[in-house]
Amino acid sequence: MIFDLIIIGAGPAGITASIYAARKSMNLLVLSKDIGGQTSLSGDIENYTGYQFITGPELTKRFKDHIDTYEIKVNEGEGILSLKKDTDIISIKTDKGQYRAKTVIVASGKMPRELGVKGEKEFKGKGIAYCATCDGPLFAGRIVAVIGGGNSALDAAIGLERIARKIYIINIEKELTADAIMREAVLKSGKITVLNESRVVSVKGEKFVQAIEIEKNNSKKDIAVEGVFVEIGLTPNSGFAEGVDKNNLNEIMVNCACETNIPGVFAAGDVTNVPEKQIIVAAGEGAKAALSAFRYFIKVK
């Protein structure tokens, strides 16, 4: 079977693209590891139009409910291995099968960046986590560290404030770089200690995390913690896209119509070089990509 459109990813960009494509009566398929993407890992969301306040998991449920109304076929739990175009057909290989389509939208988002320090690999799932929303409740009443100084790190720290006994923010920069309202909330907290110009050099423990070793001004010291939340940014899920132009950050290069260098292959959301990585921006880009894919499909079908 050859689909009119295959959408890779079911975060804000992929879901919005699928809704727009369904409204154009395209024969489409969505392939994704999960539904919601980074949205499902977010804590409190206060800047998504139409909602003064909503949590990431709640917004993800709204997304899922919306695509369910269109009976869009979603193959959840599939990892993408390769994408390439042969003549006029685009082939996609996953860890569960192979698919073909006339158009494709890559909306595969990003994945958490790792620290790359000694002990990280050994203690994954044993005290090291990459999602405070998902794993925070496991650390109730404990001392934890959040690594990073941007919005995602402070969002994690603020969320953990209701759960953990004490929180350290380990920030490699001179100052926190998150939005002012989040910085104010952190600095007012009696539970959160910010350590600027500091970096983690190793994670220590026996069966589980017991401490992190940090370096500041060429001096090293251990801080006793039972949990480490890594919030140092994200890296694009773009490695499978063969022949698609990417920048030095491995983001897929797109123009204002979400077109890549390969005709029929479009991209949207955090996996692209569009500068602002926000839920609402990704959703808008998904809508654009679907409309562009439909225009292309009409010309070539």
Side-chain angles (χ1 to χ4, degrees):
M1 179 180 186
I2 299 176
F3 290 93
D4 299 341
L5 170 66
I6 290 178
I7 298 170
I8 298 172
I15 287 173
T16 306
S18 71
I19 291 166
Y20 272 72
R23 290 175 61 85
K24 294 292 187 182
S25 297
M26 297 183 79
N27 177 24
L28 73 129
L29 171 68
V30 178
L31 301 171
S32 184
K33 278 278 191 182
D34 53 32
I35 293 179
Q38 290 297 314
T39 302
S40 65
L41 307 182
S42 300
D44 299 343
I45 298 169
E46 300 176 311
N47 59 355
Y48 191 81
T49 306
Y51 297 99
Q52 293 181 355
F53 172 85
I54 191 167
T55 68
E58 287 172 339
L59 186 55
T60 297
K61 185 180 183 303
R62 299 291 181 96
F63 287 161
K64 188 177 187 306
D65 290 345
H66 200 162
I67 61 174
D68 285 347
T69 63
Y70 287 96
E71 298 182 349
I72 295 167
K73 181 173 174 56
V74 180
N75 284 10
E76 196 175 350
E78 292 207 38
I80 311 300
L81 301 179
S82 67
L83 176 156
K84 58 184 178 181
K85 184 172 183 179
D86 298 315
T87 61
D88 294 329
I89 301 300
I90 303 158
S91 299
I92 296 171
K93 183 178 180 181
T94 76
D95 53 11
K96 293 185 178 180
Q98 297 191 27
Y99 307 89
R100 298 193 297 164
K102 294 181 179 178
T103 61
V104 168
I105 296 173
V106 180
S108 47
K110 291 190 169 186
M111 57 186 172
R113 182 174 285 118
E114 298 182 349
L115 282 170
V117 300
K118 183 180 178 182
E120 180 176 21
K121 187 178 295 184
E122 291 84 349
F123 291 108
K124 279 184 182 178
K126 298 177 181 179
I128 291 183
Y130 301 85
C131 175
T133 302
C134 314
D135 299 324
L138 299 174
F139 297 86
R142 300 177 185 271
I143 300 173
V144 301
V146 175
I147 317 303
N151 282 345
S152 60
L154 269 62
D155 180 54
I158 292 166
L160 287 165
E161 189 179 15
R162 299 189 289 263
I163 300 168
R165 177 155 54 99
K166 182 175 179 58
I167 302 134
Y168 291 98
I169 294 178
I170 313 300
N171 177 33
I172 199 169
E173 304 292 342
K174 289 184 178 181
E175 297 179 351
L176 298 173
T177 57
D179 293 342
I181 191 169
M182 300 180 80
R183 296 200 306 269
E184 290 170 11
V186 162
L187 296 176
K188 285 179 183 177
S189 172
K191 280 189 173 183
I192 301 173
T193 298
V194 179
L195 300 176
N196 290 322
E197 296 184 274
S198 303
R199 69 183 185 93
V200 177
V201 293
S202 69
V203 181
K204 299 180 177 181
E206 293 182 5
K207 291 185 177 180
F208 298 94
V209 170
Q210 294 177 319
I212 53 172
E213 182 182 15
I214 67 166
E215 182 178 42
K216 180 174 182 176
N217 299 328
N218 296 318
S219 177
K220 295 180 181 179
K221 70 173 182 179
D222 287 356
I223 297 176
V225 296
E226 295 171 276
V228 180
F229 293 89
V230 181
E231 298 285 353
I232 57 171
L234 304 164
T235 185
N237 291 313
S238 63
F240 60 83
E242 298 177 20
V244 176
D245 285 347
K246 301 163 193 169
N247 64 14
N248 62 333
L249 299 175
N250 283 323
E251 296 171 331
I252 294 175
M253 302 289 289
V254 294
N255 61 17
C256 62
C258 297
E259 296 170 323
T260 71
N261 61 302
I262 298 178
V265 178
F266 304 83
D270 286 4
V271 75
T272 73
N273 62 316
V274 171
E276 303 302 335
K277 314 303 183 187
Q278 298 288 318
I279 296 171
I280 196 164
V281 173
E285 291 293 303
K288 286 167 54 181
L291 295 173
S292 294
F294 178 71
R295 281 193 295 270
Y296 178 87
F297 170 72
I298 291 298
K299 290 178 182 178
V300 301
K301 73 172 184 176

